[in-house]
């Protein structure tokens, strides 16, 4: 896809759709109980975004200004985000469950001029906003009578918005558009800056991976503050003329999620591996999920055993995909290619992705190396850099590549096979062991619901493989079970990879986006767990 010189995703994707098919359903919002809250057409969304843009312009918020948006999965989130983007502001989507400390850090780093929050987020983060000199406007979506001092009602702001046409911000394709904060698994979160053309990188995500067609209903389980929301809840789906489904879940419940898919006729579904692992524990064959046509997963590698169990229960195959906050979908099991369970898939059109050594030289088939993305020409979905962090930007952009920080191998047919994050590789008795391989072996055992593997320092072997396991219902931790799991790993993968220690836990530490925080597990071991 060629990159236009000027581009604004609200105008060039949503409003174009609204002009051509004004009555097409674009957004379906469902509450926690599974009830329909709103069904909005492309025209209705476009008009709301224009009204919000006029309201922001009336507050002197315009092109280049930063607007932090912290709301749950409700229709107003779209109003706020789309209005900010239309006026040329830089949107900062922020998880609605962030603490005052989290928000204080983001405000200090990003220096927004406005904060738009829901009632709970506004109340929870009030302390952080007391010392926020850059924030000129505090806007809250709250019920009447619950507007705290110093906050402006979003509803009132929209009602008072100036009338008439508002010329869209003449944003250039390379102008800043969105800032996401990384999940911070090994360091403080970094600010990932994307350009106005970033949504064009998600066209392949929607078309070639999610397999969307006009009239489809796509649901990505994602917090509004994650980059995953942009993958599955915004412009890529609308470019393909499919409706986005958002569900205001507070705590994902497997049975409720499956019932929502059935009751609201979701045709395309995307969820993180941690959620699929819970879904396959349900009696999938007892549910009528015939509406589903495509299932996808991203965030962490998906274990082959989960893919098998989902297929047995639904007849559908989960197509794994790989990308980052810094990118759109990079490598995936696309709809027009044979799927190899356990593989990341092949590079997505629009990206040149390779496995290279530390100086950027492509490696031979089967060799473990760095997953890297060619930067010349720069793909639309690739970020500009880490804002206010030139050193880290230089570290990842070098030798004509963007180094993702992940490790993989490529087979003879061009399929990528994930190994680990670069800092997660375990070195034991001169063997290099990827945690994912051991985790996948463990999850194949019926006793294991979730597993995370890290290395523990060892004077004889450099490191030993150490596993943290969450058990499925009906199983109890014991020495006998530990030996059974160790023997199981020895049978299904190379014996040297088996975990010499297994610890049982009720929950695994995860980032706000659902990824397992192996850094936290390594710290537990250092603290004498």
């Amino acid at each position: 896809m060629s990159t236009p010189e000027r581009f604004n995703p609200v105008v060039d994707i949503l409003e174009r759709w609204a002009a051509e098919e004004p009555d097409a359903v674009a957004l379906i919002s469902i509450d926690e109980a599974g009830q329909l809250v709103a069904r909005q057409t492309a025209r209705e969304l476009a008009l709301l975004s224009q009204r919000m843009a006029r309201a922001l312009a009336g507050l002197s918020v315009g092109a280049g200004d930063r607007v932090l948006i912290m709301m749950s999965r409700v229709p107003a989130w779209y109003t706020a985000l789309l209005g900010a983007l239309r006026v040329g502001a830089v949107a900062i989507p922020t998880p609605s469950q962030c603490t005052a400390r989290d928000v204080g850090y983001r405000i200090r780093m990003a220096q927004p001029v406005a904060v738009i929050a829901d009632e709970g987020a506004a109340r929870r983060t009030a302390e952080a906003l007391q010392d926020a000199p850059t924030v000129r406007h505090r806007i809250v979506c709250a019920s009447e009578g619950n507007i705290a001092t110093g906050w402006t009602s979003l509803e009132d702001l929209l009602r008072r918005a100036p009338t008439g046409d508002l010329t869209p911000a003449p944003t250039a394709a390379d102008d800043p558009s969105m800032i996401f904060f990384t999940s911070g698994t090994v360091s403080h979160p970094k600010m990932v800056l994307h350009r106005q053309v970033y949504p064009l990188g998600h066209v392949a995500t929607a078309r070639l991976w999610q397999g969307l067609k006009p009239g489809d209903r796509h649901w990505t389980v994602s917090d509004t503050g994650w980059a995953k929301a942009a993958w599955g809840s915004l412009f890529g789906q609308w470019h393909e003329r499919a409706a986005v489904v958002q569900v205001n879940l507070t705590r994902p419940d497997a049975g409720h999620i499956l019932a929502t898919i059935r009751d609201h006729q979701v045709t395309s579904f995307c969820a993180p591996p941690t959620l699929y692992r819970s879904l396959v524990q349900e009696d999938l064959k007892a549910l009528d999920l015939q509406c589903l046509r495509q299932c996808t997963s991203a965030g962490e590698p998906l274990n082959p055993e989960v893919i098998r169990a989902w297929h047995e229960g639904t007849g559908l195959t989960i197509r794994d995909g790989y990308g980052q906050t810094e990118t759109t979908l990079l490598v995936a099991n696309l709809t027009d290619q044979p799927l190899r369970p356990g593989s990341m898939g092949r590079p997505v059109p629009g990206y040149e992705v390779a496995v290279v050594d530390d100086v950027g030289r492509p490696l031979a088939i089967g060799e473990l190396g760095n997953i890297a993305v060619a930067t010349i020409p720069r793909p639309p979905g690739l970020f500009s850099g880490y804002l206010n962090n030139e050193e880290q930007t230089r570290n990842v952009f070098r030798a004509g590549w963007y180094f993702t920080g992940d490790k993989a191998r490529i087979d003879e047919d061009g399929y990528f096979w994930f190994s680990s994050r670069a800092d997660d590789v375990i070195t034991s008795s001169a063997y290099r062991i990827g945690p994912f391989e051991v985790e996948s072996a463990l999850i194949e055992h019926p006793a294991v619901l979730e597993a995370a593997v890290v290395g523990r320092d060892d004077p004889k072997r450099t490191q030993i493989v150490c596993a943290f396991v969450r058990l499925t219902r009906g199983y109890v931790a014991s020495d006998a079970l530990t030996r059974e799991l160790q023997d199981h790993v020895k049978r299904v993968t190379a014996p040297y990879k088996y975990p010499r220690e297994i610890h049982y836990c009720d929950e695994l530490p995860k980032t706000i986006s659902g990824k397992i925080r192996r850094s936290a597990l390594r710290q537990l071991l250092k603290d004498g767990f």
Side-chain angles (χ1 to χ4, degrees):
M1 176 179 293
S2 61
T3 301
E5 182 179 344
R6 299 223 161 253
F7 187 78
N8 183 291
V10 178
V11 175
D12 295 314
I13 294 179
L14 176 61
E15 292 186 11
R16 181 174 297 176
W17 185 17
E20 296 173 1
E21 300 178 86
D23 296 327
V25 177
L27 179 63
I28 299 169
S29 298
I30 299 165
D31 66 15
E32 188 177 358
Q35 300 301 306
L36 180 68
V37 172
R39 182 184 287 109
Q40 295 168 284
T41 65
R43 183 175 184 273
E44 288 169 337
L45 278 183
L47 290 175
L48 279 170
S49 71
Q50 291 169 14
R51 184 182 298 175
M52 185 72 202
R54 290 196 299 270
L56 289 171
L59 297 176
S60 298
V61 176
D65 287 330
R66 297 172 187 170
V67 178
L68 188 145
I69 302 171
M70 185 171 46
M71 304 176 74
S72 56
R73 289 164 276 206
V74 294
W77 181 78
Y78 283 89
T79 301
L81 181 74
L82 296 173
L85 292 176
R86 194 182 193 278
V87 83
V90 180
I92 310 172
T94 301
S96 61
Q97 295 303 309
C98 274
T99 64
R101 180 177 177 178
D102 296 330
V103 173
Y105 173 80
R106 282 161 169 76
I107 289 175
R108 289 193 303 274
M109 296 295 290
Q111 299 187 334
V113 302
V115 171
I116 308 175
D118 61 27
E119 186 177 343
R123 183 172 56 250
R124 193 169 50 255
T125 61
E127 180 182 346
L129 290 169
Q130 288 176 0
D131 184 24
T134 66
V135 178
R136 303 195 306 266
H137 306 289
R138 297 166 175 80
I139 302 166
V140 62
C141 178
S143 55
E144 190 173 349
N146 286 330
I147 309 301
T149 302
W151 289 81
T152 299
S153 163
L154 175 62
E155 185 176 343
D156 286 347
L157 187 67
L158 291 170
R159 189 164 43 242
R160 299 195 311 265
T163 58
D165 294 333
L166 176 69
T167 302
T171 48
D174 288 336
D175 283 348
S177 172
M178 302 181 82
I179 296 172
F180 290 106
F181 280 77
T182 61
S183 52
T185 58
V186 296
S187 63
H188 288 298
K190 299 183 291 292
M191 292 188 290
V192 174
L193 179 64
H194 279 289
R195 300 172 293 158
Q196 289 288 339
V197 290
Y198 167 63
L200 292 181
H202 285 304
V203 172
T205 305
R207 181 183 300 170
L208 304 178
W209 183 49
Q210 295 165 351
L212 296 182
K213 301 175 182 177
D216 273 342
R217 296 183 173 190
H218 176 78
W219 179 18
T220 286
V221 179
S222 170
D223 189 282
T224 52
W226 306 345
K228 189 68 177 297
W231 284 45
S233 305
L234 272 170
F235 298 106
Q237 292 68 39
W238 293 338
H239 187 279
E240 299 306 298
R241 308 297 170 90
V244 167
V245 176
Q246 68 163 349
V247 184
N248 200 18
L249 296 172
T250 53
R251 184 174 178 85
D253 173 81
H256 178 52
I257 287 171
L258 294 169
T260 300
I261 292 172
R262 177 197 63 204
D263 295 345
H264 294 279
Q265 295 294 288
V266 173
T267 59
S268 176
F269 178 68
C270 184
T274 50
L275 183 53
Y276 274 114
R277 290 171 195 146
S278 296
L279 295 179
V280 297
Q281 302 299 310
E282 301 294 312
D283 186 1
L284 296 173
K285 293 182 179 179
L287 291 162
D288 180 6
L289 299 176
Q290 293 185 40
C291 56
L292 265 183
R293 193 182 71 252
Q294 298 288 347
C295 303
T296 48
S297 179
E300 284 189 320
L302 189 63
N303 310 91
E305 177 63 17
V306 177
I307 297 174
R308 182 198 61 77
W310 183 261
H311 186 268
E312 287 182 356
T314 66
L316 299 169
T317 299
I318 306 169
R319 294 186 174 272
D320 203 5
Y322 165 79
Q324 299 181 312
T325 300
E326 292 87 342
T327 71
T328 56
L329 186 69
L330 292 174
V331 179
N333 290 278
L334 302 177
T335 56
D336 62 348
Q337 296 176 356
L339 185 143
R340 294 189 179 178
S343 166
M344 300 161 66
R346 290 168 166 162
V348 173
Y351 284 104
E352 179 187 346
V353 188
V355 171
V356 304
D357 65 15
D358 290 342
V359 295
R361 292 176 299 206
L363 295 175
I365 289 171
E367 286 193 61
L368 180 66
N370 305 291
I371 304 174
V373 180
T375 59
I376 303 173
R378 185 177 293 259
L382 183 61
F383 76 129
S384 299
Y386 297 113
L387 195 62
N388 300 338
N389 195 334
E390 293 183 6
E391 180 181 359
Q392 189 61 33
T393 300
R394 285 194 301 270
N395 286 342
V396 298
F397 285 103
R398 60 184 193 272
W401 299 97
Y402 160 61
F403 284 74
T404 64
D406 292 322
K407 299 278 189 179
R409 298 178 178 87
I410 303 178
D411 67 20
E412 61 278 3
D413 295 319
Y415 284 81
F416 282 61
W417 298 83
F418 184 85
S419 173
S420 66
R421 288 289 300 174
D423 52 7
D424 286 338
V425 174
I426 301 166
T427 301
S428 183
S429 299
Y431 290 105
R432 290 174 61 78
I433 302 168
F436 177 67
E437 300 168 278
V438 186
E439 291 164 359
S440 291
L442 283 166
I443 287 174
E444 288 185 26
H445 193 284
V448 179
L449 177 62
E450 284 189 298
V453 169
V454 297
R456 181 201 280 274
D457 291 343
D458 182 82
K460 293 182 178 179
R461 297 179 175 87
T462 305
Q463 290 179 303
I464 60 171
V465 177
C466 182
F468 290 80
V469 167
R470 182 182 169 205
L471 295 174
T472 53
R473 291 190 294 265
Y475 286 87
V476 178
S478 67
D479 291 342
L481 180 58
T482 295
R483 289 191 295 272
E484 183 179 335
L485 293 177
Q486 289 171 328
D487 290 340
H488 168 76
V489 173
K490 291 176 184 178
R491 286 194 300 271
V492 300
T493 188
Y496 66 83
K497 298 178 183 178
Y498 87 93
R500 293 177 181 270
E501 291 183 7
I502 297 180
H503 302 283
Y504 300 96
C505 52
D506 294 331
E507 295 289 340
L508 293 174
K510 297 184 176 77
T511 68
I512 199 165
S513 59
K515 297 179 184 179
I516 293 172
R517 295 177 58 232
R518 293 190 182 88
S519 59
L521 296 176
R522 286 193 291 267
Q523 188 61 49
L524 277 176
L525 295 176
K526 288 181 181 179
D527 293 342
F529 183 85

